Amino acid sequence: MEGNSCWSNKETNKAQALAVGSLPIWSDLFNDPELLALNPHWKEFGLQSPYIEGLQMVTWYDELSYIIQVEVMNALIRAKTVEQATQDMIRAIEAIEK
């Protein structure tokens, strides 16, 4: 919206959802008729929104993300079984936490 640079503003958030389909951060926008016309499944998201909790802060997120991406890809391309990729992921994550 012109003259408003606040990204958490409800009107800006709705405009962003309309423009690119990003999920609103304002719970009542999940019931907005204009948004529901484009994304009818958001009505269910709105029912779940009161129960959303933020993720814990992971200071080593970059390392975690890399490990997960590599091991998921190993499983997808069948370089490893799902079980082996999962075990390798767990071991690598545990090594970071120490």
Side-chain angles (χ1 to χ4, degrees), residues 51-66:
Y51 307 102
I52 296 172
E53 291 186 27
L55 298 175
Q56 294 178 351
M57 180 60 125
V58 178
T59 56
W60 40 274
Y61 179 81
D62 290 341
E63 294 166 282
L64 174 66
S65 176
Y66 177 78

Side-chain angles (χ1 to χ4, degrees), residues 66-78 80 85-86 89:
Y66 177 78
I67 291 166
I68 292 170
Q69 290 175 54
V70 167
E71 296 304 338
V72 167
M73 188 55 64
N74 281 332
L76 289 173
I77 65 171
R78 297 185 177 163
K80 296 180 181 180
T86 302
M89 185 185 312

Side-chain angles (χ1 to χ4, degrees), residues 8-74:
S8 63
N9 171 293
K10 191 184 299 185
E11 292 77 27
T12 302
N13 192 222
K14 179 178 175 177
Q16 188 177 22
L18 287 169
V20 296
S22 61
L23 285 173
I25 60 171
W26 291 85
S27 296
D28 57 336
L29 287 178
F30 287 113
N31 297 313
D32 183 279
E34 192 174 8
L35 291 174
L36 286 175
L38 296 172
N39 305 287
H41 56 284
W42 283 7
K43 187 169 188 149
E44 283 75 33
F45 292 174
L47 296 173
Q48 298 171 25
S49 68
Y51 307 102
I52 296 172
E53 291 186 27
L55 298 175
Q56 294 178 351
M57 180 60 125
V58 178
T59 56
W60 40 274
Y61 179 81
D62 290 341
E63 294 166 282
L64 174 66
S65 176
Y66 177 78
I67 291 166
I68 292 170
Q69 290 175 54
V70 167
E71 296 304 338
V72 167
M73 188 55 64
N74 281 332

